[in-house]
Amino acid sequence: MLWKRARRVAVIRSSCFSRRHFFMGAGALLMLPSRSAFAGLQCSDFPGYRTCTSGVSIGGITAQQECSEWCWAACVEAIFAFHGRQVSQERIVEKVFGGAVCSPAAGPQIATAIDGEWTTDEDDEVFDAQADVLWDTQYGFGSQDAIAQAAQALAAGNPLILGAMGHATMMTAITYSMNAYGVQINQVLVRDPWPGNPNLRALTPQEAMSTQFLAKVEVR
């Protein structure tokens, strides 16, 4: 297992998420102060540009993977739990691989794991979930307004799954700036499922520039 430390955070470079190419190339990531609570999408206008922050407060929900390759499954489990639906990582993995094998997943497999009808572990409550992939560079797909869509999803109370440098995290907040020339990411806050990493942290600049997967998740 290889790792690289940045800002005292161990950025795990395991293969729990399939890696390829880059995502957020719209400027450097500027580290801004973290916010403990969010109220939808908030924007401020300045001469020549606008800065917006969007996020969702997830309370005591945590994401911690149960094997070295299940960062993606831990994120799905945490998002389901945020919406009040308890589903184990084992069941999420079994849906894709037919068994609880310790295996990484590519973007389409993560979407397959999420999509469809589910029942909760404890009381067999039925619910539906759907993944909407905004960006997947491994398969050459990306929405031009992915950042705006991500901000709107967070404002609506829906955390996202973000994959960068071979590791998936649950995205809970974003701050970005816009002007006539494009969009710059200022900060992305995530819940990190890797044991030993801070549960709540900001993406490092290297991670933000290397993000290759982003998906909205709706639970109904």
Side-chain angles (χ1 to χ4, degrees), residues 83-87 91 116-129 219-220:
H83 291 285
R85 282 29 179 229
Q86 299 296 327
V87 178
R91 288 183 59 202
E117 185 176 277
W118 285 89
T119 58
T120 58
D121 288 346
E122 294 183 358
D123 53 13
D124 292 329
E125 178 186 357
V126 178
F127 69 95
D128 289 317
V219 176
R220 300 179 293 272

Side-chain angles (χ1 to χ4, degrees), residues 74-106:
C75 292
V76 176
E77 178 190 42
I79 290 177
F80 284 177
F82 170 74
H83 291 285
R85 282 29 179 229
Q86 299 296 327
V87 178
S88 68
Q89 291 177 38
E90 289 85 354
R91 288 183 59 202
I92 293 165
V93 173
E94 286 171 358
K95 182 177 179 183
V96 178
F97 295 106
V101 294
C102 192
S103 177

Side-chain angles (χ1 to χ4, degrees), residues 28-197:
L29 187 95
L30 307 176
M31 305 311 290
L32 300 182
S34 299
R35 308 182 70 168
S36 59
F38 302 90
L41 179 62
Q42 302 174 340
C43 295
S44 299
D45 290 318
F46 303 92
Y49 71 98
R50 166 177 285 191
T51 295
C52 297
T53 296
S54 183
V56 57
S57 179
I58 67 170
I61 300 296
T62 60
Q64 188 168 72
Q65 61 199 80
E66 296 177 3
C67 91
S68 61
E69 310 292 358
W70 283 3
C71 56
W72 60 277
C75 292
V76 176
E77 178 190 42
I79 290 177
F80 284 177
F82 170 74
H83 291 285
R85 282 29 179 229
Q86 299 296 327
V87 178
S88 68
Q89 291 177 38
E90 289 85 354
R91 288 183 59 202
I92 293 165
V93 173
E94 286 171 358
K95 182 177 179 183
V96 178
F97 295 106
V101 294
C102 192
S103 177
Q109 292 171 315
I110 295 174
T112 296
I114 294 167
D115 287 345
E117 185 176 277
W118 285 89
T119 58
T120 58
D121 288 346
E122 294 183 358
D123 53 13
D124 292 329
E125 178 186 357
V126 178
F127 69 95
D128 289 317
Q130 181 177 354
D132 183 3
V133 177
L134 303 178
W135 203 275
D136 191 340
T137 57
Q138 185 173 5
Y139 293 91
F141 173 78
S143 297
Q144 292 184 347
D145 62 345
I147 294 170
Q149 286 197 55
Q152 292 167 3
L154 292 170
N158 295 309
L160 297 91
I161 295 178
L162 183 152
M165 297 176 62
H167 186 52
T169 58
M170 181 170 63
M171 176 179 170
T172 57
I174 186 171
T175 299
Y176 60 99
S177 298
M178 302 173 289
N179 59 24
Y181 301 99
V183 179
Q184 175 173 299
I185 303 298
N186 301 326
Q187 186 186 65
V188 178
L189 295 181
V190 299
R191 297 297 177 120
D192 190 334
W194 185 262
N197 277 0

Side-chain angles (χ1 to χ4, degrees), residues 11-40:
V11 179
I12 303 301
R13 301 195 64 180
S14 72
S15 59
C16 70
F17 182 87
S18 299
R19 291 179 287 167
R20 182 180 254 180
H21 304 309
F22 303 94
F23 164 50
M24 295 178 181
L29 187 95
L30 307 176
M31 305 311 290
L32 300 182
S34 299
R35 308 182 70 168
S36 59
F38 302 90

